[in-house]
Structures are given as C-alpha cells and as structure tokens.
Amino acid sequence: MTLEELSELKNIPIMELRREELSYAGETIIDSSKRPDQRVKSFLEQIKNPFAQNVGEYILQVGYMEGAKDTLDDRMVLLARKQSSIV
C-alpha cells in the first residue's frame, strides 16, 4: 500500500464507506513476536482500510492527530470525564 493510497483511504467520508469493502476488526491477527515493521506490514496486508473497520453492527472510522502529545489512555480518560459530566 502506497502513501498515496493511504491518504485516499484516510480522506473517505464515513457516509461513503461501504461495509462490504471493509475488514472485520476481530479477524485481524497481529503476531507480537515479530518486529514492529513486520507487524505493520502484516496488518496492512490483512486490512482493507486501516482507517475504517466493521465492528459489530457499526463501521468504526479512526483518525489520527499529527503532533499530538496525549496518549490513547489520556484521551480515554478525557472522554470518560466528558461523558460523566453529561449525565
């Protein structure tokens, strides 16, 4: 997969994604005993779009913020705090 192809996949609006063109999240297998570059290569070979997957009845679209300093854990805590303030 080229950088150009990745860029195109990244920019597809969620309403234009088609379920039959996406892989299922539970079917992707990552061998953690391999080197990181081999894991990335294996992931990209298995998945049809690294920015969107079928998850149950839903399509999950993932975005990445360039230059962000927060970890995923930091963002999850922030989300939990926002959700608890809404209730």
Side-chain angles (χ1 to χ4, degrees):
M1 191 172 295
T2 67
L3 290 176
E4 195 172 281
E5 291 171 325
L6 282 173
S7 181
E8 288 174 16
L9 292 172
K10 177 181 168 185
N11 293 319
I12 298 174
I14 194 165
M15 297 305 288
E16 292 180 18
L17 293 169
R18 295 193 304 202
R19 183 175 296 281
E20 63 274 5
E21 294 178 359
L22 301 173
S23 62
Y24 288 86
E27 295 176 357
T28 305
I29 299 170
I30 304 297
D31 183 352
S32 60
S33 67
K34 292 185 176 182
R35 295 188 330 252
D37 62 319
Q38 293 173 324
R39 289 188 297 227
V40 169
K41 181 180 179 188
S42 173
F43 174 76
L44 291 173
E45 288 171 350
Q46 293 178 64
I47 200 158
K48 297 174 184 175
N49 182 339
F51 301 100
Q53 291 186 345
N54 287 305
V55 179
E57 298 177 21
Y58 302 96
I59 292 176
L60 174 67
Q61 189 173 37
V62 179
Y64 304 95
M65 291 181 4
E66 293 183 30
K69 302 280 188 238
D70 294 345
T71 65
L72 180 58
D73 288 339
D74 295 336
R75 290 293 176 160
M76 294 303 288
V77 168
L78 182 62
L79 176 63
R81 285 183 181 154
K82 286 182 179 181
Q83 293 292 330
S84 64
S85 68
I86 292 171
V87 175

